[in-house]
């Protein structure tokens, strides 16, 4: 009986040590890795924004009636986008001073009476 109790105690101590260790893993992100992720992220965002479909808009404001349709993105400049690592939040993808060009069809009516 004492032998069984001793074995059980050792087993529980082993489990306690195993459970108390953090089972996570560490990943080191180097500068070239961050640059690669930035490049692939920019490519993904550009493709997604160029393929986005924008719903037609129409409405009426007083004597004006308007309609905007066929909105398409023709040019996208995200050259100033930056990717950085935030210790408490993860990766931060930041876009500043970028430009976008769109084309669309607009119709406007003005009722005089």
């Amino acid at each position: 009986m004492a032998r069984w109790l001793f074995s059980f105690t050792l087993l529980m101590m082993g489990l306690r040590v195993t459970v108390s260790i953090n089972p996570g893993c560490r990943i080191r992100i180097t500068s070239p890795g961050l640059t690669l992720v930035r490049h692939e992220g920019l490519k993904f965002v550009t493709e997604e924004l160029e393929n986005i479909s924008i719903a037609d808009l129409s409405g009426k404001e007083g004597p004006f009636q308007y309609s905007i349709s066929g909105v398409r993105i023709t040019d996208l400049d995200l050259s100033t986008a930056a990717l950085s690592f935030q210790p408490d939040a993860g990766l931060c993808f930041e876009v500043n001073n970028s430009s976008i060009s769109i084309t669309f069809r607009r119709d406007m009516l003005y009722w005089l009476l």
Side-chain angles (χ1 to χ4, degrees):
M1 178 77 171
R3 187 182 233 176
W4 180 82
L5 185 59
F6 181 70
S7 298
F8 181 74
T9 305
L10 285 177
L11 178 66
M12 291 309 289
M13 286 176 63
L15 286 177
R16 183 173 174 224
V17 169
T18 305
V19 172
S20 66
I21 296 173
N22 186 359
C25 64
R26 282 187 167 175
I27 299 173
R28 181 173 293 181
I29 300 175
T30 61
S31 181
L34 205 57
T35 302
L36 176 67
V37 171
R38 178 187 174 272
H39 174 71
E40 292 299 320
L42 280 174
K43 190 165 74 170
F44 174 76
V45 168
T46 302
E47 288 174 3
E48 288 297 313
L49 286 177
E50 286 177 351
N51 295 329
I52 197 169
S53 61
I54 301 170
D56 296 345
L57 300 169
S58 61
K60 186 175 182 179
E61 286 290 327
F64 287 103
Q65 186 174 356
Y66 63 90
S67 173
I68 299 173
S69 60
V71 180
R72 285 183 358 144
I73 297 174
T74 57
D75 187 34
L76 184 63
D77 177 28
L78 297 176
S79 59
T80 59
L83 184 67
S84 61
F85 182 73
Q86 303 295 324
D88 295 332
L91 291 175
C92 177
F93 185 70
E94 193 173 357
V95 178
N96 292 320
N97 299 327
S98 296
S99 64
I100 187 170
S101 298
I102 59 174
T103 59
F104 58 91
R105 183 173 189 269
R106 68 184 186 284
D107 295 320
M108 297 180 99
L109 293 173
Y110 180 74
W111 298 97
L112 295 174
L113 300 175

